[in-house]
Amino acid sequence: MPEIPYCGTPPVPGGVAWNPDPALIAALLVMGGLAMPRLRDAGARRQAASALGWAVLVLALVSPLCNLSVALFSARVAQHLLLILVAAPLIAFGMIGPDRQRAPNLAAPAALFALALWAWHLPGPYAASFARDSIYWAMHASLFGTALWLWAALGFRASARPDAAALAALATAVQMGLLGALLTLAPRPLFLAVHAPGVTAPWGLSPLEDQQLGGLLMWVPGGLVFAALCVAGLGIALRRARA
């Protein structure tokens, strides 16, 4: 078991470092290269969205946010939100092509995304991601992968069955909001094994305040994004019903 987490030792203000892992950078370049052939026939908007999504993915994993997430739970939540609420939908938008004839089922991606989100924010699995690099990458791969699958399914469904997409978005907003609320309103810190008082104090936060901030980030931005998608889906469904 390594003594130092993948993203380094807990930093202090002024000492946050980038993550120049050559293996990670090479893997991201390979994945981006494999995705390029699918984008050749896409429009300019989809190509731009996909490129921006890949840029956000790289920044979330390589920028100082990686190192800061070792000290602060709220920074780790912010890193996860960049992956699942920004990078994943942008890349998924670039994946949606006009040749898709049958919209996929939404139940499986929505359920697996919820399972990954809740499982990795339980104290035990969360702390384990700091102990082993393999678990760290299992966390991020499962969160990003299930989010990408969900956003792609929502995109395909939005045109064929906007009511189904709205329902799945509502269920996702509820489960993300509930998890964020539980983290925010918990009476005690749940992640002291990695975010101890001595680790969060240099940033002006107690472990409980740090957890509350992370919970609010998940509760408000996370819930609002999927709630807005739900409203948009319902609006499309109503306009079609009137037509």
Side-chain angles (χ1 to χ4, degrees):
M1 181 179 294
E3 296 180 358
I4 300 176
Y6 170 77
C7 288
T9 57
V12 296
V16 184
W18 286 74
N19 174 25
D21 182 0
L24 170 62
I25 295 172
L28 291 171
L29 288 174
V30 169
M31 289 190 295
L34 292 174
M36 287 304 296
R38 186 177 179 84
L39 294 172
R40 287 173 184 168
D41 298 329
R45 289 177 57 199
R46 296 195 187 281
Q47 290 177 348
S50 184
L52 181 57
W54 280 102
V56 172
L57 175 65
V58 171
L59 284 175
L61 299 174
V62 175
S63 75
L65 187 59
C66 175
N67 189 209
L68 184 60
S69 70
V70 183
L72 298 177
F73 173 77
S74 53
R76 177 64 65 90
V77 171
Q79 184 186 39
H80 290 168
L81 292 181
L82 282 176
L83 294 175
I84 66 179
L85 296 182
V86 183
L90 287 171
I91 295 174
F93 179 69
M95 293 167 53
I96 300 171
D99 58 335
R100 187 66 182 244
Q101 299 297 323
R102 184 177 179 182
N105 187 280
L106 280 165
L112 287 178
F113 172 69
L115 178 62
L117 189 69
W118 282 75
W120 287 117
H121 291 91
L122 294 173
Y126 181 85
S129 70
F130 287 78
R132 292 185 181 274
D133 291 355
S134 58
I135 300 178
Y136 174 87
W137 285 116
M139 166 192 273
H140 286 78
S142 59
L143 286 172
F144 177 72
T146 55
L148 185 64
W149 186 19
L150 174 60
W151 280 106
L154 285 170
F156 288 126
R157 275 281 176 179
S159 58
R161 287 288 307 277
D163 53 340
L167 183 60
L170 176 61
T172 304
V174 169
Q175 65 91 359
M176 282 193 72
L178 179 58
L179 177 57
L182 289 174
L183 292 170
T184 303
L185 301 177
R188 60 184 179 84
L190 303 174
F191 307 102
L192 286 175
V194 287
H195 302 298
V199 173
T200 63
W203 298 94
L205 296 169
S206 69
L208 183 58
E209 291 169 339
D210 177 36
Q211 179 180 302
Q212 290 169 339
L213 178 58
L216 282 172
L217 287 174
M218 188 178 297
W219 188 357
V220 180
L224 284 178
V225 167
F226 284 101
L229 188 62
C230 173
V231 172
L234 289 175
I236 295 172
L238 288 173
R239 285 196 299 270
R240 289 185 180 179
R242 291 172 183 170

